[in-house]
Amino acid sequence: SRLEPEPSTVSKSPLSTEKSSQNPLDDSEEKLSAEESKDKNLPDAQSNLGLWGDGKGEDELSPEEIQMFEQENQRLVGEMNNLFDEVRQIEGKVVEISRLQEIFTEKVLQQETDIDNIHQLVVGATENIKEGNEDIREAIKNNAGFRVWILFFLVMCSFSLLFLDWYDN
């Protein structure tokens, strides 16, 4: 029963303050109806107090306690609003992280195809280098064979000249 708000505090909602600023006669009628409902609820609250204890003075809320509970309620509402804002911010960050992770995954897959292409190019380049080295060896061999033939030709020509010189004498 202590935590149950009084009907007058319930009627003082933001909507009722807007109405009171619009029409002062309606405000006085609302105050009268709030006091009547407060008086009606008071015996009900006192009968409920009998279930919990016999002390009637202890269970009634003083205006200071009501104000204290209202302040605590406002503080708790403020904390809940702050927590709600923090949750919204965290939710936004999680969505952003998810989006960045999708982009990261996309880039990794793109890099995978690029790496495969580079691998194929490197394998092709290695094969070309091997073929080039074999062609160079073959050219060196052919060049050496050509030199041998020229040397053989010059030696034969020299022997031919010596033979002709000897035969002529």
Side-chain angles (χ1 to χ4, degrees):
S1 65
R2 283 187 172 185
L3 296 178
E4 186 175 281
E6 290 185 25
S8 63
T9 58
V10 173
S11 66
K12 298 276 184 179
S13 66
L15 294 176
S16 66
T17 56
E18 291 175 6
K19 289 179 182 177
S20 65
S21 64
Q22 293 173 356
N23 194 349
L25 296 176
D26 290 340
D27 189 27
S28 62
E29 290 175 5
E30 286 179 8
K31 287 182 182 178
L32 290 175
S33 64
E35 289 175 7
E36 289 174 4
S37 62
K38 182 178 175 183
D39 293 337
K40 289 178 185 175
N41 288 337
L42 189 58
D44 291 340
Q46 290 176 353
S47 65
N48 286 337
L49 291 177
L51 296 175
W52 296 100
D54 294 334
K56 293 181 181 177
E58 293 177 7
D59 294 328
E60 293 179 8
L61 294 175
S62 67
E64 294 85 19
E65 289 176 331
I66 291 171
Q67 185 178 8
M68 181 181 67
F69 284 133
E70 286 177 357
Q71 288 175 353
E72 184 176 354
N73 190 20
Q74 290 175 356
R75 183 184 59 83
L76 290 174
V77 167
E79 286 180 16
M80 291 303 287
N81 286 337
N82 288 341
L83 288 174
F84 183 73
D85 291 341
E86 288 177 10
V87 166
R88 287 285 185 200
Q89 289 175 354
I90 291 170
E91 184 178 307
K93 289 178 182 179
V94 167
V95 168
E96 181 70 16
I97 288 171
S98 174
R99 187 181 65 80
L100 291 174
Q101 188 173 8
E102 287 176 10
I103 292 171
F104 180 74
T105 303
E106 191 176 300
K107 295 296 182 184
V108 166
L109 292 175
Q110 186 180 13
Q111 285 179 352
E112 181 182 6
T113 58
D114 291 344
I115 288 172
D116 287 341
N117 290 338
I118 291 171
H119 180 265
Q120 293 298 327
L121 291 174
V122 167
V123 168
T126 304
E127 290 175 3
N128 289 340
I129 289 173
K130 286 181 183 178
E131 289 176 9
N133 285 339
E134 290 174 8
D135 289 344
I136 289 173
R137 283 188 202 110
E138 190 174 321
I140 290 172
K141 287 178 185 178
N142 289 341
N143 197 11
F146 183 69
R147 286 183 202 159
V148 169
W149 281 107
I150 290 179
L151 186 62
F152 179 71
F153 177 74
L154 291 175
V155 169
M156 289 305 288
C157 286
S158 298
F159 281 131
S160 302
L161 285 175
L162 285 173
F163 176 72
L164 288 175
D165 185 48
W166 176 75
Y167 185 69
D168 201 22
N169 280 349

